[in-house]
Amino acid sequence: MPLRETVPQDILEFAPNMREADKQEVRSLSGLDPLAVLSTGLFHSKPCMTGVDEQGEIVLICGVVPNGGVGSIWMLSTDAITQNKRELIREGRRWVDEQSALYRVLTNVVDERNVVHQRLIKHMGFKFGDPINNVGVEGIRVLPFER
């Protein structure tokens, strides 16, 4: 699955098609709607990337928000992510390796209910920490991860 730099039109096209689990995670952690979170991600991420399938449909948008030597890595996806696992893992590992070379550590949290993303995070070589309770505007349980 090729990754290319995200353009503003990507987030307008992608936001309504996000996986329900990703929408839920975004709302629970930030209280914001998908378009607002994606706009923030596009503005703050260095880089912000879009993954497209063979038909040219947007499957995911991801990025890394720099904070000194730490990069807050993130990804949001559509339901098509499950049909593109093999390509995503191959290209995703390559991209995560490139980002790892730029930061002392890549880190973030994932909603404990978002099992699809937990599996993907593990495949990308991240290690999970102990669960953290009462996080975000809805006080959810999250799993920290880093590489």
Side-chain angles (χ1 to χ4, degrees):
M1 171 183 312
L3 293 174
R4 60 170 168 76
E5 286 193 41
T6 303
V7 296
Q9 183 60 36
D10 291 343
I11 64 173
L12 295 173
E13 179 182 328
F14 176 80
N17 299 316
M18 273 175 49
R19 290 176 60 240
E20 195 54 44
D22 288 7
K23 290 179 185 177
Q24 181 181 35
E25 183 171 333
V26 162
R27 281 190 303 268
S28 296
L29 289 172
S30 69
L32 300 174
D33 64 72
L35 188 58
V37 167
L38 286 160
S39 298
T40 301
L42 175 61
F43 181 75
H44 291 287
S45 295
K46 305 290 183 247
C48 187
M49 305 298 287
T50 296
V52 295
D53 65 16
E54 292 176 351
Q55 292 76 39
E57 297 296 318
I58 298 174
V59 175
L60 66 90
I61 295 180
C62 60
V64 179
V65 177
N67 185 10
V70 175
S72 295
I73 193 165
W74 61 274
M75 182 190 77
L76 298 168
S77 61
T78 68
D79 288 327
I81 195 170
T82 57
Q83 287 89 43
N84 293 276
K85 286 185 279 194
R86 181 175 244 149
E87 298 85 0
L88 174 58
I89 290 170
R90 184 178 59 247
E91 290 299 318
R93 279 186 187 154
R94 186 175 310 148
W95 185 76
V96 170
D97 288 346
E98 290 171 7
Q99 300 311 303
S100 290
L102 302 174
Y103 296 94
R104 192 169 21 90
V105 65
L106 294 173
T107 187
N108 209 329
V109 297
V110 62
D111 186 331
E112 185 178 61
R113 301 167 291 186
N114 197 338
V115 178
V116 170
H117 280 197
Q118 288 175 44
R119 287 187 198 125
L120 182 59
I121 290 164
K122 186 175 180 180
H123 280 298
M124 295 297 149
F126 289 89
K127 302 292 183 209
F128 289 100
D130 293 331
I132 303 170
N133 294 315
N134 201 26
V135 176
V137 297
E138 292 183 7
I140 63 170
R141 185 175 165 114
V142 297
L143 298 171
F145 60 91
E146 70 176 42
R147 174 177 157 178

